[in-house]
Amino acid sequence: MSVKKVVKYGTPSLREKSKEVHKISKKVQILVDDLYDTLYATNGVGLAAPQIGENLRVFVIDVGTDPKTMNPITFINPKIIKKEGAINSYEGCLSFPDAYTNVRRYKYVKVKALDIKGRPFILEAGEGSLLARCIQHEFDHLDGILFIDHCRNRFDADKVLAEKGLNGVDSKYLLDEPELEEEIQKNPQSEEK
Ligand code: NI
């Protein structure tokens, strides 16, 4: 359909809780097409509806690295029904151009969602894979949570954000996550980077 403008950190809609989809209407189908067009145009791996200004519970992921391995997955009204383990994940976000920092994530997630036809599916992603981390990142966007809220070191994160001309980490949203942090420190192999 069309490539949309990705809203940047500081835009209020990124902090809003998105609404459930009640019907896979034409509007929702267009939204999903726009998410994919924008995702591929920006070389991202995941994009959530609030990032193109629609506060609906929809995100798309494609962790395929080239046209041969393309694997688009659409998530509508997703729920994370199981999460385990902990991993250090070095992440960025299309709403934070060129800003990357270390964040805490679960190693494994099981997610339940609807596809574009409204059919329910269950997907498991583990071993701290890019898919597992991406699902958590995009899911957060639907609740107004941003990757920097999970940062392991706010001073490092602030430095990177300042270099990119972005506002620093907001203490109001900063997540403590002592259990995840403890597990990451106990298992050096959980250091993804
Ligand atoms: Ni993001």
Side-chain angles (χ1 to χ4, degrees), residues 93-112:
C93 175
L94 292 172
S95 296
F96 295 71
D98 304 318
Y100 297 86
T101 196
N102 294 296
V103 302
R104 303 177 198 98
R105 295 291 182 195
Y106 293 96
K107 206 170 179 177
Y108 160 95
V109 288
K110 186 174 187 178
V111 59
K112 189 178 158 187

Side-chain angles (χ1 to χ4, degrees), residues 46 51 92-96 137-138 141 146-147:
Q51 291 181 276
C93 175
L94 292 172
S95 296
F96 295 71
H137 179 120
E138 301 312 327
H141 274 300
L146 301 170
F147 79 112

Side-chain angles (χ1 to χ4, degrees), residues 173-186:
Y173 297 107
L174 190 61
L175 298 162
D176 197 23
E177 305 177 312
E179 283 152 28
L180 285 182
E181 183 59 36
E182 200 181 322
E183 196 164 336
I184 292 167
Q185 289 184 12
K186 262 196 320 215

Side-chain angles (χ1 to χ4, degrees), residues 117-135:
K117 298 244 159 57
R119 295 173 301 210
F121 67 94
I122 287 176
L123 183 72
E124 285 181 284
E127 300 305 316
S129 61
L130 178 58
L131 179 61
R133 293 178 283 125
C134 193
I135 288 170

Side-chain angles (χ1 to χ4, degrees), residues 12-116:
S13 63
L14 287 179
R15 284 300 188 186
E16 278 172 33
K17 194 169 163 71
S18 290
K19 292 189 170 65
E20 293 257 322
V21 169
H22 295 295
K23 183 174 175 252
I24 315 280
S25 59
K26 188 76 192 160
K27 184 191 159 192
V28 172
Q29 289 170 1
I30 292 170
L31 169 65
V32 168
D33 285 344
D34 288 348
L35 283 168
Y36 280 117
D37 287 347
T38 310
L39 180 72
Y40 293 128
T42 49
N43 295 314
V45 289
L47 188 64
Q51 291 181 276
I52 58 168
E54 278 289 344
N55 281 106
L56 282 173
R57 301 189 78 79
V58 178
F59 64 79
V60 301
I61 287 180
D62 192 340
V63 295
T65 47
D66 64 61
K68 275 184 233 146
T69 56
M70 264 176 77
N71 183 25
I73 315 173
T74 305
F75 298 78
I76 297 173
N77 297 343
K79 300 222 166 19
I80 293 182
I81 53 178
K82 199 173 171 187
K83 45 194 184 188
E84 282 172 0
I87 189 169
N88 175 71
S89 179
Y90 188 63
E91 288 181 22
C93 175
L94 292 172
S95 296
F96 295 71
D98 304 318
Y100 297 86
T101 196
N102 294 296
V103 302
R104 303 177 198 98
R105 295 291 182 195
Y106 293 96
K107 206 170 179 177
Y108 160 95
V109 288
K110 186 174 187 178
V111 59
K112 189 178 158 187
L114 301 177
D115 69 11
I116 190 62

